[in-house]
Amino acid sequence: MAETTAVKETTKEPLFGKKERKLLTDPLNDNNPITVQVLGICSALAVTSLVYPSVVMAVAVTLVTAFSSLFTSLIRTMIPKQVRMIVQLVVIAALVTVVELTLRYMNYPIYKQLSVYIGLIITNCIVMGRLEAFAMANKPWRSFLDGLGNGLGYGAILIMVGVVRELFGKGSLFAGSPVEMKIIGPTAEYWINTQESVLFGWYTNNNLMVLPAAAMFVIGIIIWIQRSYNSKLVDVS
Amino acid sequence: MDFINIFIKSAFIDNMVLAYFLGMCSYLAVSKSVKTAFGLGLAVIFVLGITMPINWIINEYLLGETGIFKMDLTFLRFILFIAVIASMVQLVEMVIEKFSPGLYAALGIFLPLITVNCAILGGSLFMVSREYNFSESVAFGLGGGFGWFLAIIAIAAIREKIRYSNVPPALRGLGMAFILTGLMGIAFMSLMGIDPAALTGAK
């Protein structure tokens, strides 16, 4: 779902060359930060029990990856090699502080709900991983796109997990946000915007999905599906 | 709450990996063999145990309105905490290199990677949001580190065994590690009903 929207975004801007487009679309599937690079799992899985916090988290991480890549790339020639980790961390920490304060004043309830996980974007390995692997060696615009693409790929998985967990665990979608929907049945075709739906009235909420462990199962299954279609990702060892 | 309560609670009931998903990157990347998992686990206990009290002191005496500067500097919290953690990891690295070159060689790249282990920064941030006092934060650091250590040893042992099983090819490796972690998380949830206060009170 989220993947298609991201792909649309790239086609909207035909000024990009092929390489730039690849930077944006690669992290969505072939080089996904969560399912392939195994980066950035740390801070975010605990927030995916509902869709709305997942979306907020996805946006926050995307902003931080994109702009930290941009800024680090701008100053990359000035950073001495020995202290580069600390310089990178300071750039990231400053951006995360900006995101945190903005969120606190814009939407306090969601800020409380995400609690320490916003701060943990600093140690989200995907941010630092992209700085080390890409932004330290590439020009600012490319680095920005790489950061943006990785943030989107990360957000796509986050939102997928959020949708599955909230739909089966609570029977609703976007709970807590202005577009809150109560959906009892598990099938997407019957989504309607009413208070009490009688569709699939027999469905009982699966409390397993609310537990943090369910996030692991859902991601495990996403990896399984992705690798079944994309055989070059299969672990041969 | 006393020292032992917090230790037991943070090690088993609120396990960093299995209940909060902190430190997941290195947990998944380094859990292929028990030997390296053991070394990394020890280093995490050590770094968590040191940084937690230092960050507590910084938060209490530098950043708060009652601190040295008499103003609210909490917006500097992230930068200061991460700087403390980065420098502590650097220090630990130098000490280990000097006194135990064998362990240093065994840990290799994983030692600097502890800086970006979310469990370390997460521990400090949880300490602030739960308003622990000094001794409680020491207990939380050691207990959280011990819980992390237990979790990584357990998954490494399971992954060593499962190499001989017939797992579907697309699920092999990473996918299986995720599902196993989920199952372990559910197993650890059975400890949730335990009240550590009652345990230590009975002594």
Side-chain angles (χ1 to χ4, degrees):
Chain A
M1 189 179 75
E3 262 174 83
T4 52
T5 55
V7 171
K8 252 183 232 154
E9 256 180 44
T10 56
T11 47
K12 230 188 279 171
E13 302 198 37
L15 289 173
F16 286 167
K18 231 180 193 159
K19 271 187 185 161
E20 281 80 2
R21 190 173 304 174
K22 199 166 147 51
L23 283 177
L24 263 182
T25 52
D26 236 24
L28 293 177
N29 183 13
D30 284 353
N31 199 14
N32 190 284
I34 292 186
T35 61
V36 182
Q37 303 175 45
V38 212
L39 294 175
I41 302 155
C42 333
S43 65
L45 291 194
V47 305
T48 52
S49 66
L50 296 172
V51 180
Y52 188 43
S54 325
V55 173
V56 173
M57 190 72 185
V59 172
V61 170
T62 308
L63 287 177
V64 174
T65 45
F67 285 98
S68 63
S69 286
L70 176 68
F71 292 138
T72 312
S73 178
L74 282 174
I75 57 169
R76 70 184 188 282
T77 48
M78 287 179 259
I79 306 176
K81 213 166 167 51
Q82 295 84 357
V83 295
R84 67 180 198 288
M85 290 267 236
I86 295 184
V87 175
Q88 290 165 358
L89 279 172
V90 169
V91 170
I92 300 170
L95 280 167
V96 171
T97 310
V98 171
V99 167
E100 194 222 8
L101 292 177
T102 317
L103 188 64
R104 182 194 276 175
Y105 292 115
M106 273 169 59
N107 194 337
Y108 194 71
I110 201 88
Y111 168 79
K112 275 312 260 188
Q113 200 177 345
L114 290 171
S115 70
V116 299
Y117 292 100
I118 286 286
L120 286 178
I121 298 175
I122 299 172
T123 49
N124 194 323
C125 337
I126 176 191
V127 185
M128 194 118 173
R130 289 331 288 176
L131 294 187
E132 274 287 289
F134 200 90
M136 290 299 285
N138 283 281
K139 291 211 168 98
W141 173 236
R142 288 263 180 96
S143 308
F144 179 75
L145 287 178
D146 179 75
L148 190 65
N150 275 283
L152 289 174
Y154 169 89
I157 299 287
L158 216 61
I159 293 168
M160 271 187 233
V161 177
V163 166
V164 173
R165 286 181 71 189
E166 187 174 349
L167 192 58
F168 291 109
K170 292 233 159 73
S172 62
L173 276 183
F174 299 103
S177 76
V179 287
E180 193 170 12
M181 284 184 277
K182 176 75 182 160
I183 301 145
I184 294 195
T187 316
E189 281 175 58
Y190 296 101
W191 287 358
I192 46 167
N193 199 356
T194 53
Q195 277 297 303
E196 279 299 321
S197 167
V198 288
L199 288 164
F200 296 100
W202 47 266
Y203 183 74
T204 316
N205 287 343
N206 184 350
N207 287 329
L208 176 71
M209 283 294 171
V210 185
L211 303 179
M216 303 310 285
F217 297 140
V218 175
I219 293 188
I221 290 167
I222 289 176
I223 292 176
W224 192 2
I225 295 171
Q226 190 194 14
R227 291 189 180 185
S228 314
Y229 284 102
N230 204 339
S231 54
K232 62 176 181 274
L233 298 177
V234 172
D235 195 348
V236 282
S237 66
Chain B
M1 287 206 267
D2 67 331
F3 196 89
I4 301 169
N5 286 350
I6 299 244
F7 184 87
I8 293 176
K9 197 165 152 35
S10 53
F12 296 104
I13 302 163
D14 291 341
N15 189 292
M16 287 269 195
V17 177
L18 301 170
Y20 291 106
F21 295 116
L22 295 179
M24 221 57 204
C25 304
S26 28
Y27 169 83
L28 287 169
V30 188
S31 60
K32 280 186 184 138
S33 84
V34 176
K35 212 176 156 197
T36 47
F38 187 82
L40 185 72
L42 282 185
V44 166
I45 297 183
F46 195 65
V47 175
L48 257 179
I50 296 183
T51 54
M52 201 74 83
I54 296 180
N55 281 345
W56 186 86
I57 292 170
I58 287 183
N59 190 52
E60 191 73 13
Y61 293 112
L62 284 181
L63 299 180
E65 276 179 40
T66 52
I68 302 174
F69 299 109
K70 302 273 177 248
M71 53 180 161
D72 188 16
L73 292 172
T74 42
F75 64 91
L76 288 175
R77 190 182 284 150
F78 291 157
I79 295 183
L80 278 179
F81 278 11
I82 201 72
V84 166
I85 292 167
S87 45
M88 276 305 125
V89 170
Q90 199 83 59
L91 202 70
V92 168
E93 195 180 351
M94 289 190 306
V95 170
I96 293 183
E97 192 180 10
K98 183 129 199 278
F99 291 104
S100 169
L103 182 61
Y104 180 76
L107 283 176
I109 179 74
F110 304 126
L111 208 51
L113 276 184
I114 295 176
T115 314
V116 283
N117 187 327
C118 338
I120 315 279
L121 183 64
S124 289
L125 295 176
F126 271 127
M127 170 194 80
V128 172
S129 73
R130 291 179 189 166
E131 298 174 350
Y132 285 145
N133 66 26
F134 186 74
S135 67
E136 280 170 349
S137 63
V138 175
F140 182 62
L142 293 173
F146 185 66
W148 202 90
F149 172 81
L150 279 185
I152 195 168
I153 296 282
I155 187 95
I158 299 175
R159 283 181 81 173
E160 274 192 1
K161 291 283 172 205
I162 213 156
R163 207 166 296 152
Y164 306 107
S165 314
N166 193 10
V167 179
L171 201 55
R172 220 165 270 168
L174 190 60
M176 208 58 210
F178 270 100
I179 290 175
L180 284 173
T181 310
L183 289 173
M184 282 165 63
I186 288 181
F188 257 70
M189 272 184 58
S190 55
L191 297 168
M192 238 172 210
I194 297 174
D195 179 11
L199 275 180
T200 47
K203 269 183 192 170

